[in-house]
Amino acid sequence: MVEKPSSGELFGVPYNFERPKLSRMLESYWQPGEGMLVEKPFGIGYTLNLANWRSWVVLAVAGVLLWQQQNDGDEDDAVEEAVEVVVDE
């Protein structure tokens, strides 16, 4: 029986299904000198490299958008109060 590889690349997208270790997790999320995206330590695709300043910009923008979405939802509830409608026949 042929063993399937537990890590590699498929259609240009990396994958890794080896059992994750803490050291490998830390090394993969903090890679100084690398780009903004690095291979995930477990699973399929890429993740953010927290040693790159661009990743922090992406996280800040995502946080602001999430905060804005949550605050906009509160204002919509205040606007949707009961309204009295008078109909003349």
Side-chain angles (χ1 to χ4, degrees):
M1 185 174 237
V2 178
E3 283 191 38
K4 296 179 182 178
S6 59
S7 64
E9 197 169 293
L10 184 64
F11 301 116
V13 179
Y15 66 90
N16 188 352
F17 294 112
E18 296 173 3
R19 175 174 264 175
K21 296 180 183 176
L22 183 60
S23 61
R24 192 176 73 191
M25 297 284 279
L26 293 175
E27 289 173 1
S28 64
Y29 288 110
W30 191 267
Q31 295 183 13
E34 293 292 323
M36 183 175 80
L37 296 176
V38 292
E39 294 181 11
K40 290 179 88 170
F42 182 78
I44 301 170
Y46 297 94
T47 189
L48 292 175
N49 178 10
L50 297 177
N52 191 309
W53 64 272
R54 291 178 190 98
S55 299
W56 291 100
V57 171
V58 169
L59 290 173
V61 169
V64 167
L65 291 174
L66 180 63
W67 176 78
Q68 184 180 20
Q69 181 183 11
Q70 289 177 346
N71 285 345
D72 286 346
D74 294 342
E75 292 174 6
D76 290 340
D77 293 340
V79 173
E80 295 180 12
E81 295 177 5
V83 177
E84 184 178 342
V85 178
V86 178
V87 179
D88 289 331
E89 292 182 28

